[in-house]
Amino acid sequence: MDKADDPLAQLDDYDGELPLIATNRTRWFGGQAIDTGRLDRLSAASRSDHVEVVDIELETARGMEWVLDEFRDNGVDCIVSHHTFEDTPEREVLDAIFTQCGEYGDIAKVATFPRKHTDVLRLLRSINVATKTGIDVAGISMGRVGSHSRAIAPIYGSKLGYAPLADDESDYAPGQIPLERLRTLINDLTEDSEIQCAAAPVEDQPEQRQPAEH
Amino acid sequence: MDKADDPLAQLDDYDGELPLIATNRTRWFGGQAIDTGRLDRLSAASRSDHVEVVDIELETARGMEWVLDEFRDNGVDCIVSHHTFEDTPEREVLDAIFTQCGEYGDIAKVATFPRKHTDVLRLLRSINVATKTGIDVAGISMGRVGSHSRAIAPIYGSKLGYAPLADDESDYAPGQIPLERLRTLINDLTEDSEIQCAAAPVEDQPEQRQPAEH
């Protein structure tokens, strides 16, 4: 909403087929909204028939938990999200962020920035750990280094991804993968196996002993 | 060679365009060769013009290092490989296996079996760590759970992959991805970025601060 000229009127006029996720970010969270009235406008959006989910920041949820009740009274689910734009928190901190987002939200969304490749692995691990505890997770390792996380996070349990509809590079952040390419990647990566839901221990799924790689 | 009827004669008759990697595995290493004369036959293969690389097991290299000199005298590179078919070693053990394979071989090849998703991440991490120390690495997390490692290991530094040429499922182990599909996956996963060679610290490659995921 913070990037639209007149978001509530535009919501009224929306005639697309897809349901919407509403966000209204302040500058602090990478957006452009001013604080005053921000949550009121987001709450108004949550009353739109087109909006099925509202995304609110963990910090906001923590300080103003009442707003989640208001969203839910309006019949939408809540994504509680956390972004770190400069780095990827350490393992224990990451796990705690997922847990807290999951306590407040229906979906725990965590987006981190990798400074090196192993930072991507740390996020994937936390996605997997949180998923196994029963949290519905969306996890993204941002930027170019983390780009492949968008295609493989579903394998680790991530249930929600973000992809631009068009191939217009100006429209998306570094690392984002256009929708059709992402769809193909995820399908191809999981073609031989249904996505092995991370909640089901793999130990229970015996696999035939296989020959050596040659 | 252990699966061919008459490998040395077949090597002589080979008229394909691609250079070959020769292996001759005993049962202990997932193959069918008997011990007697196994290394002599592999050494004979290394004298073929078609063979550019010989793959020998870490355990063999350790016990019979002279065989590596013989291979190299015959003008081939050596892959020194280690397979664990039942599980994925712990982090420190994995790192040590890569290091040892790299000490004996031109390429350190490590294939492990994941019992759960985080086992795949542990292998990818070790691939990355070994690559950063300057080892040329080939890393594979086997089986269905590890299948996606074949597509993303190159991002972490892996320089050699294994893929069946055909789409014939009977021809390949669980988790292997046919060549053309693997090629497409790797290309698509690295399309926007050259593969960020793991040897180059990402910290040195500043990236613009990016907007929040919406």
Side-chain angles (χ1 to χ4, degrees):
Chain A
M1 297 176 72
D2 53 287
K3 290 189 180 148
D5 291 327
D6 191 357
L8 292 173
Q10 285 169 268
L11 261 182
D12 278 341
D13 294 341
Y14 177 73
D15 62 355
E17 288 176 27
L18 295 172
L20 302 178
I21 299 173
T23 69
N24 197 10
R25 305 253 194 248
T26 59
R27 196 174 176 124
W28 182 254
F29 300 118
Q32 304 169 356
I34 53 169
D35 269 328
T36 311
R38 171 176 83 103
L39 295 178
D40 291 334
R41 285 189 297 279
L42 196 51
S43 184
S46 75
R47 286 189 289 273
S48 161
D49 287 343
H50 305 303
V51 172
E52 291 194 2
V53 181
V54 164
D55 177 323
I56 194 83
E57 309 76 27
L58 174 60
E59 295 84 342
T60 308
R62 257 199 219 121
M64 284 167 281
E65 200 170 346
W66 56 267
V67 82
L68 295 172
D69 295 331
E70 194 169 312
F71 293 149
R72 290 188 174 114
D73 286 345
N74 293 337
V76 298
D77 282 339
C78 297
I79 296 173
V80 170
S81 60
H82 191 268
H83 295 73
T84 57
F85 294 105
E86 307 290 345
D87 59 10
T88 302
E90 288 308 308
R91 176 190 279 222
E92 292 72 18
V93 176
L94 257 188
D95 287 347
I97 290 171
F98 272 107
T99 301
Q100 288 183 25
C101 288
E103 280 168 3
Y104 290 104
D106 303 292
I107 297 172
K109 177 192 165 195
V110 179
T112 56
F113 183 81
R115 290 176 178 270
K116 53 188 190 299
H117 290 82
T118 47
D119 291 345
V120 184
L121 303 179
R122 198 158 68 253
L123 180 72
L124 290 168
R125 182 198 151 278
S126 280
I127 289 172
N128 198 240
V129 167
T131 298
K132 283 179 174 169
T133 67
I135 301 173
D136 282 336
V137 163
I140 301 143
S141 187
M142 299 184 285
R144 285 172 60 196
V145 169
S147 184
H148 62 287
S149 74
R150 297 169 187 273
I152 65 167
I155 297 171
Y156 290 84
S158 185
K159 295 186 174 53
L160 178 65
Y162 293 77
L165 290 169
D167 273 317
D168 176 3
E169 289 219 9
S170 68
D171 255 338
Y172 58 96
Q176 285 197 329
I177 300 173
L179 182 64
E180 279 309 318
R181 185 146 63 92
L182 184 59
R183 186 203 307 273
T184 303
L185 277 170
I186 292 173
N187 285 345
D188 280 357
L189 283 167
T190 57
E191 185 169 298
D192 297 328
S193 47
E194 300 130 78
I195 290 183
Q196 300 242 3
C197 175
V202 176
E203 289 87 334
D204 296 343
Q205 303 167 356
E207 181 156 6
Q208 73 187 82
R209 188 187 158 107
Q210 56 198 309
E213 302 284 332
H214 287 283
Chain B
M1 296 176 72
D2 53 286
K3 290 188 181 150
D5 291 327
D6 191 355
L8 291 171
Q10 287 170 266
L11 261 182
D12 278 342
D13 294 342
Y14 177 72
D15 62 355
E17 288 175 27
L18 295 172
L20 302 178
I21 299 173
T23 69
N24 197 11
R25 306 252 195 249
T26 59
R27 197 176 177 123
W28 182 253
F29 300 119
Q32 304 170 356
I34 54 169
D35 270 327
T36 311
R38 171 176 82 104
L39 295 178
D40 291 334
R41 284 190 297 280
L42 197 51
S43 184
S46 74
R47 287 189 289 273
S48 161
D49 288 341
H50 304 305
V51 172
E52 292 194 2
V53 181
V54 164
D55 176 323
I56 194 81
E57 310 76 27
L58 174 60
E59 295 84 343
T60 308
R62 257 199 220 121
M64 283 167 281
E65 200 171 345
W66 56 267
V67 83
L68 295 172
D69 296 330
E70 195 170 311
F71 293 149
R72 290 188 173 115
D73 286 344
N74 292 338
V76 298
D77 282 339
C78 297
I79 296 172
V80 170
S81 61
H82 191 268
H83 294 74
T84 56
F85 295 105
E86 308 290 344
D87 59 11
T88 301
E90 289 307 309
R91 176 190 280 222
E92 291 73 17
V93 177
L94 256 189
D95 287 347
I97 290 171
F98 272 107
T99 301
Q100 288 183 26
C101 288
E103 280 167 5
Y104 290 103
D106 304 293
I107 297 171
K109 178 192 165 194
V110 179
T112 56
F113 183 80
R115 291 176 178 271
K116 52 188 191 301
H117 290 83
T118 46
D119 291 345
V120 184
L121 303 180
R122 197 158 69 252
L123 180 72
L124 290 168
R125 181 199 151 278
S126 280
I127 289 171
N128 197 241
V129 167
T131 298
K132 283 179 174 170
T133 67
I135 302 172
D136 282 336
V137 162
I140 301 144
S141 188
M142 298 185 286
R144 284 172 59 196
V145 169
S147 184
H148 62 287
S149 75
R150 297 168 187 274
I152 64 167
I155 297 171
Y156 290 84
S158 185
K159 294 185 175 51
L160 178 65
Y162 293 76
L165 290 169
D167 273 318
D168 177 3
E169 289 218 11
S170 66
D171 255 340
Y172 56 98
Q176 284 196 330
I177 301 172
L179 182 63
E180 279 309 317
R181 184 146 64 90
L182 185 58
R183 187 203 306 273
T184 303
L185 278 170
I186 292 172
N187 285 345
D188 280 357
L189 283 167
T190 57
E191 185 169 299
D192 297 327
S193 48
E194 300 129 77
I195 289 182
Q196 300 242 1
C197 175
V202 176
E203 288 88 335
D204 297 343
Q205 304 167 356
E207 180 156 9
Q208 72 186 84
R209 188 187 158 108
Q210 55 197 310
E213 301 285 331
H214 287 284

